[in-house]
Amino acid sequence: MRETTEENVARRFPQDTAGHEMKTVLDQGLHRHLTFKAPGTFACGFHITTWPGYLCISGDMGCYVFARLPDMFEFFRGRDINSGYWAEKLQADGRNKGHMEYSRDLFVDAVVRDFRAWRFDSGAQRLEAFRELREFGGLLHGADEYGSASEAIGEALSYRCPVSSNSFQDFWEHQVEDYTFHFLWCCHAIRWAIERYDEANAAAEQVAA
């Protein structure tokens, strides 16, 4: 079974941040600037910057700005990662990496679901129609090559089965985009960074007590 993007991020993130240390550049109420990176390198390094109503994560893995509550640490603190809900709070997206991209797996799943609803004269005709989908030049054969969701959907809408003349006439209704690796990585980074920040503050309070 293919590893999902979320599974890949969950596996990679602890490795990517194993040597990261937190540097507090600014910590004045709702105005914060924290930097997380391993000493001597900025590989997978990132900044967390907050001001009233906003949180920005920027750095090696992209840049995303969220808005929801006056203190965005309160919004993200202690939550399980909910990429769909968090994406709704995006105010600015990574210029190069973005937060959504074409998903080969979602596209294939959608094609197979619609194919199963097609009617055929016989089981042999159904098998031949599916073989046409998978062979060179078929819709599924090119699933890895489509550069965008709109391209993939356009290819599906224009496809007509050479065996049965069935088509994917309602394919535009399908969601064939998923969250990017970089967006999900940054979601993990935000929650992880707030945990490190809270731990540091708790330790400082214990020393001062």
Side-chain angles (χ1 to χ4, degrees), residues 10-186:
R11 176 177 56 81
R12 283 273 309 275
F13 183 80
Q15 303 169 17
D16 292 340
T17 58
H20 278 31
E21 298 176 357
M22 183 179 78
K23 177 182 178 182
T24 302
V25 180
L26 178 69
D27 190 8
Q28 296 179 354
L30 300 183
H31 296 270
R32 310 179 183 92
H33 181 179
L34 311 174
T35 296
F36 297 84
K37 70 180 189 69
T41 178
F42 199 67
C44 295
F46 63 95
H47 308 283
I48 298 288
T49 310
T50 66
W51 60 100
Y54 294 87
L55 180 147
C56 173
I57 180 169
S58 59
D60 198 36
M61 301 301 283
C63 180
Y64 304 92
V65 179
F66 301 83
R68 176 63 175 85
L69 299 177
D71 185 358
M72 288 300 290
F73 272 24
E74 180 182 339
F75 174 74
F76 289 109
R77 181 179 281 120
R79 289 174 175 263
D80 290 334
I81 292 171
N82 186 335
S83 52
Y85 181 57
W86 292 7
E88 293 175 2
K89 312 309 174 189
L90 274 174
Q91 303 299 302
D93 211 346
R95 182 180 66 180
N96 297 321
K97 290 155 186 173
H99 78 287
M100 297 290 288
E101 64 184 355
Y102 163 69
S103 168
R104 179 260 184 203
D105 291 341
L106 291 180
F107 176 75
V108 170
D109 287 346
V111 169
V112 171
R113 285 201 308 273
D114 281 9
F115 175 84
R116 287 172 176 165
W118 285 359
R119 293 183 178 181
F120 296 94
D121 295 333
S122 65
Q125 188 186 50
R126 177 182 291 273
L127 288 174
E128 180 61 23
F130 194 67
R131 188 177 299 112
E132 288 287 340
L133 274 176
R134 297 181 61 184
E135 287 185 350
F136 181 78
L139 191 60
L140 291 181
H141 185 271
D144 290 321
E145 307 302 324
Y146 302 132
S148 66
S150 59
E151 179 185 355
I153 290 172
E155 291 292 332
L157 289 172
S158 63
Y159 182 84
R160 182 169 295 276
C161 177
V163 177
S164 64
S165 295
N166 282 309
S167 64
F168 297 98
Q169 59 184 4
D170 297 321
F171 201 83
W172 56 270
E173 297 177 345
H174 289 295
Q175 170 61 264
V176 296
E177 283 188 313
D178 203 356
Y179 298 105
T180 64
F181 176 93
H182 290 86
F183 174 70
L184 293 174
W185 195 99
C186 285

